[in-house]
Amino acid sequence: MPSHVIRLLFRAVEELKATGGLLGGAAGLLVGVGALAIPGIGPLLAAGPIVAMLTGAAVGAGTGGLAGALIGMGIPEAEAD
């Protein structure tokens, strides 16, 4: 692949990170809520996607906070990400 195509793909991934996190969290929530409808097994099945959604949100918040702190300290945005 030419290097300009690879750079374009990386730029697209950077722009879609937040969208992917939101969609993944929403999908996890929907799966968890749907699994609650199964009598008896619902709460056990729902625990996995709900924990995954909360973990993903925590990791995203931590990464974003760290990048924001580095940018605030004067490190260029490209290096902070």
Side-chain angles (χ1 to χ4, degrees):
M1 267 184 155
S3 62
H4 69 280
V5 173
I6 293 173
R7 281 193 300 269
L8 182 63
L9 289 174
F10 277 119
R11 204 172 305 137
V13 168
E14 288 292 321
E15 293 176 7
L16 295 175
K17 275 195 289 190
T19 304
L22 287 172
L23 291 176
L29 179 64
L30 290 175
V31 169
V33 169
L36 285 173
I38 301 172
I41 299 177
L44 292 176
L45 292 177
I50 290 173
V51 169
M53 179 190 66
L54 293 175
T55 302
V59 168
T63 304
L66 178 61
L70 291 174
I71 292 169
M73 291 178 2
I75 295 175
E77 185 176 347
E79 292 181 26
D81 284 338

